[in-house]
Every structure is written in structure tokens, then in C-alpha cells.
Amino acid sequence: SNPEARQKVVDYVVRYSRQHSNIDYLHVWLGDDENNHCECEECKKYRPSDLYVKMMNEMDDALTMAGLKTRIVVIAYVDTLWAPLSEKLRESGRFALMLAPITRDYTEGYDKAKAIPPLRPYERNKLTFPDNLEESIAYYDEWKKNFSGDSFVFEYHFWKHQHFDL
């Protein structure tokens, strides 16, 4: 929730984008871990995805002012799997949404999805993640209610199997 902290990230992304003009899509994600979000009174007022989207929109403004066309990949993953409640990604063409359903079961494809269940409630630092395809789609559907831009799925096939073959 700290505007100075958000501005540091925004400034870094603008500087990085300026120095790496060959990048079409830059992935900007929150920490790659679960149950580690700030519990101060100000941060607790928002879902992490609301503060994330707020920063993404600030980043859009700064990149636009700098004349940079870098597109930003926003991730629906871990705490940001739960869609924002109050903030919305602007329809500027700047963003692409990536669903990263790391906990889903890979025995069935998307074409075999059954009825979409209700979402699990968001509980800061006490998250329980979906374990099937339908739940993953439910979280994606929530994001897509307020964002109609480009999106894609990152699949984690064999993401840890290299550790099993010593």
C-alpha cells in the first residue's frame, strides 16, 4: 500500500524497459511465494491483487509518458489468483493476463472441464489453493469479468520432476 514502494518498482520497470527495448512482453509479478503478504492496517484494507493492479496502472501511465510500448504480463497466481475487488486493469492494450494454475491436476485437459465451482474465500496469509481444473478456471473467470484484454495460461508440466531423478 506504500506509494513510495510502488513508485520504486514503476521507476525500475521504466528504466529496464528503456534499456531493453527488444522486449515485447515483460512479466511483472509479485513475490513467488505464498502466505507472505503485509498485515499492516493499510495493506489489510485491500487484496494483494488490488494493490498489484493499482501499481500496474501506475506503470502503464509511466511507460506511456516515457513513450515505451513494452507490454506487461500480469499474473493470476498465488495471492493474485483472487481477482481484485476494487481496482481494474485499464483497457490500454498494455496488459496481458497470465493464469498460472500450478496446483491443478494435469490428468484432464481444459476441454474436459466440468461445472465451475464457487471460489474459495480469500484469507490473507492462510491461502488454500485450487486442486482441480474447474477451480482454476473459476479464478480466471473472476479476473476476466473486469478485463477483456489478451490472456494465456502457463502450464507447469513436469515442473519438479527433474528433482526426482538424481
mmCIF file of all heavy atoms in Angstrom, residues 31-73:
data_model
loop_
_atom_site.group_PDB
_atom_site.id
_atom_site.type_symbol
_atom_site.label_atom_id
_atom_site.label_comp_id
_atom_site.label_asym_id
_atom_site.label_seq_id
_atom_site.Cartn_x
_atom_site.Cartn_y
_atom_site.Cartn_z
ATOM 1 N N GLY A 31 5.809 -11.379 -5.307
ATOM 2 C CA GLY A 31 6.684 -12.426 -4.800
ATOM 3 C C GLY A 31 6.167 -13.824 -5.123
ATOM 4 O O GLY A 31 4.981 -14.092 -5.030
ATOM 5 N N ASP A 32 7.092 -14.707 -5.496
ATOM 6 C CA ASP A 32 6.761 -16.066 -5.902
ATOM 7 C C ASP A 32 6.735 -16.984 -4.677
ATOM 8 O O ASP A 32 7.509 -17.921 -4.554
ATOM 9 C CB ASP A 32 7.786 -16.549 -6.929
ATOM 10 C CG ASP A 32 7.380 -17.844 -7.597
ATOM 11 O OD1 ASP A 32 6.247 -18.302 -7.386
ATOM 12 O OD2 ASP A 32 8.203 -18.412 -8.333
ATOM 13 N N ASP A 33 5.846 -16.680 -3.773
ATOM 14 C CA ASP A 33 5.690 -17.498 -2.578
ATOM 15 C C ASP A 33 4.313 -17.214 -2.011
ATOM 16 O O ASP A 33 3.659 -16.245 -2.389
ATOM 17 C CB ASP A 33 6.775 -17.166 -1.555
ATOM 18 C CG ASP A 33 6.982 -18.278 -0.540
ATOM 19 O OD1 ASP A 33 6.329 -19.334 -0.652
ATOM 20 O OD2 ASP A 33 7.806 -18.088 0.378
ATOM 21 N N GLU A 34 3.887 -18.030 -1.103
ATOM 22 C CA GLU A 34 2.538 -17.876 -0.576
ATOM 23 C C GLU A 34 2.557 -17.454 0.888
ATOM 24 O O GLU A 34 3.537 -17.667 1.600
ATOM 25 C CB GLU A 34 1.768 -19.184 -0.725
ATOM 26 C CG GLU A 34 2.426 -20.331 0.020
ATOM 27 C CD GLU A 34 1.909 -21.680 -0.383
ATOM 28 O OE1 GLU A 34 2.143 -22.082 -1.527
ATOM 29 O OE2 GLU A 34 1.276 -22.330 0.469
ATOM 30 N N ASN A 35 1.473 -16.856 1.306
ATOM 31 C CA ASN A 35 1.249 -16.513 2.708
ATOM 32 C C ASN A 35 2.356 -15.630 3.286
ATOM 33 O O ASN A 35 2.834 -15.868 4.392
ATOM 34 C CB ASN A 35 1.059 -17.785 3.541
ATOM 35 C CG ASN A 35 -0.133 -18.581 3.078
ATOM 36 O OD1 ASN A 35 -1.158 -18.014 2.686
ATOM 37 N ND2 ASN A 35 -0.024 -19.891 3.086
ATOM 38 N N ASN A 36 2.743 -14.591 2.518
ATOM 39 C CA ASN A 36 3.798 -13.707 3.000
ATOM 40 C C ASN A 36 3.479 -12.235 2.739
ATOM 41 O O ASN A 36 4.368 -11.438 2.504
ATOM 42 C CB ASN A 36 5.134 -14.084 2.347
ATOM 43 C CG ASN A 36 5.134 -13.900 0.845
ATOM 44 O OD1 ASN A 36 4.114 -13.589 0.231
ATOM 45 N ND2 ASN A 36 6.288 -14.091 0.230
ATOM 46 N N HIS A 37 2.204 -11.882 2.786
ATOM 47 C CA HIS A 37 1.819 -10.501 2.497
ATOM 48 C C HIS A 37 1.701 -9.679 3.772
ATOM 49 O O HIS A 37 1.327 -10.175 4.824
ATOM 50 C CB HIS A 37 0.524 -10.453 1.688
ATOM 51 C CG HIS A 37 0.791 -10.648 0.239
ATOM 52 N ND1 HIS A 37 1.057 -9.608 -0.614
ATOM 53 C CD2 HIS A 37 0.905 -11.764 -0.494
ATOM 54 C CE1 HIS A 37 1.308 -10.078 -1.813
ATOM 55 N NE2 HIS A 37 1.218 -11.387 -1.769
ATOM 56 N N CYS A 38 2.001 -8.415 3.614
ATOM 57 C CA CYS A 38 1.991 -7.468 4.725
ATOM 58 C C CYS A 38 0.644 -7.491 5.444
ATOM 59 O O CYS A 38 -0.408 -7.561 4.817
ATOM 60 C CB CYS A 38 2.282 -6.066 4.197
ATOM 61 S SG CYS A 38 2.353 -4.818 5.508
ATOM 62 N N GLU A 39 0.706 -7.398 6.757
ATOM 63 C CA GLU A 39 -0.500 -7.399 7.575
ATOM 64 C C GLU A 39 -0.690 -6.084 8.325
ATOM 65 O O GLU A 39 -1.412 -6.026 9.316
ATOM 66 C CB GLU A 39 -0.463 -8.578 8.549
ATOM 67 C CG GLU A 39 -0.495 -9.916 7.829
ATOM 68 C CD GLU A 39 -0.481 -11.116 8.764
ATOM 69 O OE1 GLU A 39 -0.338 -10.927 9.990
ATOM 70 O OE2 GLU A 39 -0.605 -12.239 8.258
ATOM 71 N N CYS A 40 -0.064 -5.005 7.822
ATOM 72 C CA CYS A 40 -0.277 -3.701 8.460
ATOM 73 C C CYS A 40 -1.723 -3.267 8.208
ATOM 74 O O CYS A 40 -2.403 -3.793 7.324
ATOM 75 C CB CYS A 40 0.720 -2.662 7.925
ATOM 76 S SG CYS A 40 0.326 -1.989 6.293
ATOM 77 N N GLU A 41 -2.180 -2.300 8.963
ATOM 78 C CA GLU A 41 -3.577 -1.871 8.865
ATOM 79 C C GLU A 41 -3.943 -1.360 7.481
ATOM 80 O O GLU A 41 -5.045 -1.593 7.003
ATOM 81 C CB GLU A 41 -3.886 -0.814 9.939
ATOM 82 C CG GLU A 41 -3.888 -1.371 11.356
ATOM 83 C CD GLU A 41 -4.766 -2.611 11.518
ATOM 84 O OE1 GLU A 41 -5.940 -2.590 11.081
ATOM 85 O OE2 GLU A 41 -4.281 -3.614 12.086
ATOM 86 N N GLU A 42 -3.017 -0.668 6.824
ATOM 87 C CA GLU A 42 -3.320 -0.129 5.490
ATOM 88 C C GLU A 42 -3.388 -1.248 4.448
ATOM 89 O O GLU A 42 -4.310 -1.276 3.636
ATOM 90 C CB GLU A 42 -2.282 0.926 5.093
ATOM 91 C CG GLU A 42 -2.658 1.721 3.875
ATOM 92 C CD GLU A 42 -3.956 2.509 4.007
ATOM 93 O OE1 GLU A 42 -4.354 2.892 5.130
ATOM 94 O OE2 GLU A 42 -4.588 2.757 2.964
ATOM 95 N N CYS A 43 -2.437 -2.144 4.469
ATOM 96 C CA CYS A 43 -2.429 -3.238 3.481
ATOM 97 C C CYS A 43 -3.617 -4.179 3.665
ATOM 98 O O CYS A 43 -4.164 -4.689 2.688
ATOM 99 C CB CYS A 43 -1.124 -4.026 3.554
ATOM 100 S SG CYS A 43 0.285 -3.154 2.820
ATOM 101 N N LYS A 44 -4.021 -4.397 4.898
ATOM 102 C CA LYS A 44 -5.140 -5.310 5.152
ATOM 103 C C LYS A 44 -6.465 -4.810 4.597
ATOM 104 O O LYS A 44 -7.419 -5.562 4.493
ATOM 105 C CB LYS A 44 -5.287 -5.584 6.652
ATOM 106 C CG LYS A 44 -4.225 -6.519 7.186
ATOM 107 C CD LYS A 44 -4.505 -7.070 8.571
ATOM 108 C CE LYS A 44 -4.904 -6.069 9.604
ATOM 109 N NZ LYS A 44 -5.002 -6.613 10.962
ATOM 110 N N LYS A 45 -6.522 -3.545 4.218
ATOM 111 C CA LYS A 45 -7.752 -2.997 3.633
ATOM 112 C C LYS A 45 -7.996 -3.523 2.219
ATOM 113 O O LYS A 45 -9.090 -3.380 1.692
ATOM 114 C CB LYS A 45 -7.679 -1.467 3.573
ATOM 115 C CG LYS A 45 -7.659 -0.787 4.914
ATOM 116 C CD LYS A 45 -7.501 0.710 4.717
ATOM 117 C CE LYS A 45 -7.376 1.441 6.032
ATOM 118 N NZ LYS A 45 -7.132 2.889 5.822
ATOM 119 N N TYR A 46 -6.944 -4.107 1.585
ATOM 120 C CA TYR A 46 -7.008 -4.492 0.176
ATOM 121 C C TYR A 46 -6.534 -5.923 -0.028
ATOM 122 O O TYR A 46 -5.691 -6.415 0.721
ATOM 123 C CB TYR A 46 -6.101 -3.580 -0.667
ATOM 124 C CG TYR A 46 -6.320 -2.130 -0.461
ATOM 125 C CD1 TYR A 46 -5.535 -1.411 0.444
ATOM 126 C CD2 TYR A 46 -7.323 -1.459 -1.147
ATOM 127 C CE1 TYR A 46 -5.745 -0.055 0.641
ATOM 128 C CE2 TYR A 46 -7.536 -0.102 -0.951
ATOM 129 C CZ TYR A 46 -6.738 0.590 -0.054
ATOM 130 O OH TYR A 46 -6.942 1.932 0.143
ATOM 131 N N ARG A 47 -7.038 -6.535 -1.063
ATOM 132 C CA ARG A 47 -6.439 -7.784 -1.520
ATOM 133 C C ARG A 47 -5.103 -7.432 -2.178
ATOM 134 O O ARG A 47 -4.965 -6.354 -2.777
ATOM 135 C CB ARG A 47 -7.308 -8.446 -2.592
ATOM 136 C CG ARG A 47 -8.453 -9.231 -2.049
ATOM 137 C CD ARG A 47 -9.126 -9.983 -3.183
ATOM 138 N NE ARG A 47 -10.264 -10.718 -2.661
ATOM 139 C CZ ARG A 47 -11.102 -11.393 -3.430
ATOM 140 N NH1 ARG A 47 -10.955 -11.410 -4.754
ATOM 141 N NH2 ARG A 47 -12.101 -12.056 -2.895
ATOM 142 N N PRO A 48 -4.133 -8.340 -2.116
ATOM 143 C CA PRO A 48 -2.879 -8.075 -2.826
ATOM 144 C C PRO A 48 -3.098 -7.764 -4.306
ATOM 145 O O PRO A 48 -2.403 -6.918 -4.874
ATOM 146 C CB PRO A 48 -2.085 -9.370 -2.639
ATOM 147 C CG PRO A 48 -2.559 -9.878 -1.315
ATOM 148 C CD PRO A 48 -4.040 -9.556 -1.293
ATOM 149 N N SER A 49 -4.079 -8.386 -4.932
ATOM 150 C CA SER A 49 -4.320 -8.131 -6.355
ATOM 151 C C SER A 49 -4.818 -6.713 -6.602
ATOM 152 O O SER A 49 -4.554 -6.139 -7.661
ATOM 153 C CB SER A 49 -5.289 -9.156 -6.948
ATOM 154 O OG SER A 49 -6.492 -9.186 -6.223
ATOM 155 N N ASP A 50 -5.517 -6.106 -5.647
ATOM 156 C CA ASP A 50 -5.935 -4.708 -5.815
ATOM 157 C C ASP A 50 -4.723 -3.781 -5.818
ATOM 158 O O ASP A 50 -4.626 -2.884 -6.652
ATOM 159 C CB ASP A 50 -6.909 -4.292 -4.713
ATOM 160 C CG ASP A 50 -8.321 -4.760 -4.995
ATOM 161 O OD1 ASP A 50 -8.885 -4.348 -6.024
ATOM 162 O OD2 ASP A 50 -8.847 -5.551 -4.198
ATOM 163 N N LEU A 51 -3.805 -4.003 -4.890
ATOM 164 C CA LEU A 51 -2.601 -3.165 -4.846
ATOM 165 C C LEU A 51 -1.700 -3.442 -6.047
ATOM 166 O O LEU A 51 -1.068 -2.524 -6.583
ATOM 167 C CB LEU A 51 -1.858 -3.395 -3.533
ATOM 168 C CG LEU A 51 -2.635 -2.948 -2.285
ATOM 169 C CD1 LEU A 51 -1.929 -3.395 -1.016
ATOM 170 C CD2 LEU A 51 -2.854 -1.449 -2.294
ATOM 171 N N TYR A 52 -1.663 -4.667 -6.483
ATOM 172 C CA TYR A 52 -0.900 -5.060 -7.673
ATOM 173 C C TYR A 52 -1.445 -4.352 -8.908
ATOM 174 O O TYR A 52 -0.693 -3.738 -9.672
ATOM 175 C CB TYR A 52 -0.994 -6.578 -7.789
ATOM 176 C CG TYR A 52 -0.335 -7.246 -8.961
ATOM 177 C CD1 TYR A 52 0.973 -6.972 -9.328
ATOM 178 C CD2 TYR A 52 -1.023 -8.223 -9.670
ATOM 179 C CE1 TYR A 52 1.573 -7.645 -10.383
ATOM 180 C CE2 TYR A 52 -0.427 -8.899 -10.721
ATOM 181 C CZ TYR A 52 0.875 -8.609 -11.068
ATOM 182 O OH TYR A 52 1.455 -9.288 -12.101
ATOM 183 N N VAL A 53 -2.748 -4.391 -9.103
ATOM 184 C CA VAL A 53 -3.360 -3.740 -10.261
ATOM 185 C C VAL A 53 -3.189 -2.230 -10.186
ATOM 186 O O VAL A 53 -2.936 -1.576 -11.197
ATOM 187 C CB VAL A 53 -4.839 -4.152 -10.413
ATOM 188 C CG1 VAL A 53 -5.576 -3.258 -11.405
ATOM 189 C CG2 VAL A 53 -4.925 -5.615 -10.849
ATOM 190 N N LYS A 54 -3.277 -1.677 -8.996
ATOM 191 C CA LYS A 54 -3.031 -0.237 -8.830
ATOM 192 C C LYS A 54 -1.628 0.107 -9.343
ATOM 193 O O LYS A 54 -1.443 1.061 -10.103
ATOM 194 C CB LYS A 54 -3.189 0.152 -7.360
ATOM 195 C CG LYS A 54 -3.035 1.630 -7.089
ATOM 196 C CD LYS A 54 -3.241 1.888 -5.600
ATOM 197 C CE LYS A 54 -3.257 3.353 -5.288
ATOM 198 N NZ LYS A 54 -4.486 4.024 -5.701
ATOM 199 N N MET A 55 -0.647 -0.702 -8.963
ATOM 200 C CA MET A 55 0.722 -0.467 -9.417
ATOM 201 C C MET A 55 0.850 -0.694 -10.922
ATOM 202 O O MET A 55 1.575 0.044 -11.604
ATOM 203 C CB MET A 55 1.700 -1.374 -8.656
ATOM 204 C CG MET A 55 3.145 -1.111 -9.020
ATOM 205 S SD MET A 55 4.324 -1.975 -7.964
ATOM 206 C CE MET A 55 3.960 -3.683 -8.313
ATOM 207 N N MET A 56 0.148 -1.673 -11.462
ATOM 208 C CA MET A 56 0.213 -1.915 -12.908
ATOM 209 C C MET A 56 -0.334 -0.719 -13.686
ATOM 210 O O MET A 56 0.234 -0.321 -14.706
ATOM 211 C CB MET A 56 -0.569 -3.176 -13.290
ATOM 212 C CG MET A 56 -0.006 -4.483 -12.752
ATOM 213 S SD MET A 56 1.688 -4.837 -13.279
ATOM 214 C CE MET A 56 2.606 -4.304 -11.864
ATOM 215 N N ASN A 57 -1.408 -0.123 -13.209
ATOM 216 C CA ASN A 57 -1.959 1.063 -13.876
ATOM 217 C C ASN A 57 -1.010 2.258 -13.763
ATOM 218 O O ASN A 57 -0.868 3.039 -14.706
ATOM 219 C CB ASN A 57 -3.342 1.388 -13.320
ATOM 220 C CG ASN A 57 -4.393 0.411 -13.801
ATOM 221 O OD1 ASN A 57 -4.313 -0.130 -14.909
ATOM 222 N ND2 ASN A 57 -5.393 0.163 -12.972
ATOM 223 N N GLU A 58 -0.342 2.391 -12.625
ATOM 224 C CA GLU A 58 0.674 3.441 -12.479
ATOM 225 C C GLU A 58 1.832 3.182 -13.445
ATOM 226 O O GLU A 58 2.377 4.117 -14.043
ATOM 227 C CB GLU A 58 1.166 3.499 -11.029
ATOM 228 C CG GLU A 58 0.103 3.981 -10.064
ATOM 229 C CD GLU A 58 0.435 3.767 -8.591
ATOM 230 O OE1 GLU A 58 1.432 3.066 -8.270
ATOM 231 O OE2 GLU A 58 -0.312 4.293 -7.752
ATOM 232 N N MET A 59 2.175 1.915 -13.616
ATOM 233 C CA MET A 59 3.231 1.537 -14.548
ATOM 234 C C MET A 59 2.826 1.868 -15.984
ATOM 235 O O MET A 59 3.640 2.361 -16.774
ATOM 236 C CB MET A 59 3.503 0.034 -14.402
ATOM 237 C CG MET A 59 4.795 -0.444 -14.955
ATOM 238 S SD MET A 59 5.046 -2.178 -14.468
ATOM 239 C CE MET A 59 5.283 -2.007 -12.694
ATOM 240 N N ASP A 60 1.575 1.616 -16.321
ATOM 241 C CA ASP A 60 1.050 1.952 -17.645
ATOM 242 C C ASP A 60 1.218 3.449 -17.902
ATOM 243 O O ASP A 60 1.707 3.860 -18.959
ATOM 244 C CB ASP A 60 -0.419 1.544 -17.732
ATOM 245 C CG ASP A 60 -1.062 1.839 -19.077
ATOM 246 O OD1 ASP A 60 -0.347 2.023 -20.080
ATOM 247 O OD2 ASP A 60 -2.307 1.880 -19.117
ATOM 248 N N ASP A 61 0.827 4.270 -16.932
ATOM 249 C CA ASP A 61 0.971 5.732 -17.072
ATOM 250 C C ASP A 61 2.428 6.121 -17.311
ATOM 251 O O ASP A 61 2.730 6.928 -18.205
ATOM 252 C CB ASP A 61 0.461 6.454 -15.821
ATOM 253 C CG ASP A 61 -1.039 6.362 -15.645
ATOM 254 O OD1 ASP A 61 -1.745 6.054 -16.631
ATOM 255 O OD2 ASP A 61 -1.506 6.585 -14.511
ATOM 256 N N ALA A 62 3.334 5.563 -16.521
ATOM 257 C CA ALA A 62 4.750 5.928 -16.612
ATOM 258 C C ALA A 62 5.360 5.459 -17.934
ATOM 259 O O ALA A 62 6.138 6.190 -18.559
ATOM 260 C CB ALA A 62 5.521 5.347 -15.429
ATOM 261 N N LEU A 63 5.025 4.260 -18.381
ATOM 262 C CA LEU A 63 5.539 3.757 -19.660
ATOM 263 C C LEU A 63 4.997 4.587 -20.818
ATOM 264 O O LEU A 63 5.714 4.875 -21.776
ATOM 265 C CB LEU A 63 5.190 2.283 -19.831
ATOM 266 C CG LEU A 63 5.963 1.309 -18.928
ATOM 267 C CD1 LEU A 63 5.301 -0.060 -18.910
ATOM 268 C CD2 LEU A 63 7.421 1.207 -19.353
ATOM 269 N N THR A 64 3.734 4.970 -20.722
ATOM 270 C CA THR A 64 3.129 5.805 -21.763
ATOM 271 C C THR A 64 3.831 7.159 -21.819
ATOM 272 O O THR A 64 4.185 7.637 -22.906
ATOM 273 C CB THR A 64 1.620 5.980 -21.508
ATOM 274 O OG1 THR A 64 1.003 4.685 -21.544
ATOM 275 C CG2 THR A 64 0.982 6.881 -22.547
ATOM 276 N N MET A 65 4.052 7.781 -20.651
ATOM 277 C CA MET A 65 4.744 9.078 -20.609
ATOM 278 C C MET A 65 6.158 8.987 -21.168
ATOM 279 O O MET A 65 6.654 9.933 -21.773
ATOM 280 C CB MET A 65 4.774 9.624 -19.180
ATOM 281 C CG MET A 65 3.447 10.195 -18.731
ATOM 282 S SD MET A 65 3.531 10.988 -17.113
ATOM 283 C CE MET A 65 4.751 12.234 -17.395
ATOM 284 N N ALA A 66 6.798 7.815 -20.988
ATOM 285 C CA ALA A 66 8.158 7.620 -21.486
ATOM 286 C C ALA A 66 8.169 7.228 -22.966
ATOM 287 O O ALA A 66 9.249 7.076 -23.549
ATOM 288 C CB ALA A 66 8.864 6.555 -20.656
ATOM 289 N N GLY A 67 6.997 7.059 -23.558
ATOM 290 C CA GLY A 67 6.907 6.688 -24.966
ATOM 291 C C GLY A 67 7.304 5.250 -25.245
ATOM 292 O O GLY A 67 7.714 4.923 -26.356
ATOM 293 N N LEU A 68 7.184 4.387 -24.233
ATOM 294 C CA LEU A 68 7.586 2.986 -24.377
ATOM 295 C C LEU A 68 6.372 2.106 -24.648
ATOM 296 O O LEU A 68 5.326 2.272 -24.028
ATOM 297 C CB LEU A 68 8.312 2.517 -23.114
ATOM 298 C CG LEU A 68 9.617 3.260 -22.832
ATOM 299 C CD1 LEU A 68 10.112 2.972 -21.426
ATOM 300 C CD2 LEU A 68 10.670 2.889 -23.859
ATOM 301 N N LYS A 69 6.539 1.171 -25.541
ATOM 302 C CA LYS A 69 5.434 0.294 -25.941
ATOM 303 C C LYS A 69 5.468 -1.063 -25.241
ATOM 304 O O LYS A 69 4.710 -1.956 -25.585
ATOM 305 C CB LYS A 69 5.455 0.103 -27.454
ATOM 306 C CG LYS A 69 5.355 1.398 -28.214
ATOM 307 C CD LYS A 69 4.490 1.245 -29.425
ATOM 308 C CE LYS A 69 4.414 2.514 -30.231
ATOM 309 N NZ LYS A 69 3.569 3.517 -29.686
ATOM 310 N N THR A 70 6.375 -1.247 -24.289
ATOM 311 C CA THR A 70 6.505 -2.506 -23.573
ATOM 312 C C THR A 70 5.156 -2.958 -23.039
ATOM 313 O O THR A 70 4.441 -2.180 -22.403
ATOM 314 C CB THR A 70 7.478 -2.347 -22.380
ATOM 315 O OG1 THR A 70 8.679 -1.764 -22.849
ATOM 316 C CG2 THR A 70 7.747 -3.671 -21.709
ATOM 317 N N ARG A 71 4.801 -4.209 -23.313
ATOM 318 C CA ARG A 71 3.562 -4.768 -22.756
ATOM 319 C C ARG A 71 3.906 -5.499 -21.468
ATOM 320 O O ARG A 71 4.992 -6.055 -21.326
ATOM 321 C CB ARG A 71 2.910 -5.709 -23.762
ATOM 322 C CG ARG A 71 2.499 -4.904 -25.005
ATOM 323 C CD ARG A 71 1.410 -5.465 -25.823
ATOM 324 N NE ARG A 71 0.210 -5.815 -25.096
ATOM 325 C CZ ARG A 71 -0.640 -6.734 -25.528
ATOM 326 N NH1 ARG A 71 -0.425 -7.361 -26.671
ATOM 327 N NH2 ARG A 71 -1.723 -7.021 -24.843
ATOM 328 N N ILE A 72 2.996 -5.480 -20.531
ATOM 329 C CA ILE A 72 3.215 -6.060 -19.207
ATOM 330 C C ILE A 72 2.332 -7.290 -19.038
ATOM 331 O O ILE A 72 1.120 -7.233 -19.275
ATOM 332 C CB ILE A 72 2.887 -5.041 -18.092
ATOM 333 C CG1 ILE A 72 3.719 -3.763 -18.253
ATOM 334 C CG2 ILE A 72 3.078 -5.663 -16.710
ATOM 335 C CD1 ILE A 72 5.208 -3.945 -18.117
ATOM 336 N N VAL A 73 2.950 -8.393 -18.602
ATOM 337 C CA VAL A 73 2.199 -9.599 -18.279
ATOM 338 C C VAL A 73 1.874 -9.562 -16.792
ATOM 339 O O VAL A 73 2.758 -9.462 -15.947
ATOM 340 C CB VAL A 73 2.988 -10.876 -18.634
ATOM 341 C CG1 VAL A 73 2.217 -12.117 -18.183
ATOM 342 C CG2 VAL A 73 3.269 -10.921 -20.127
#
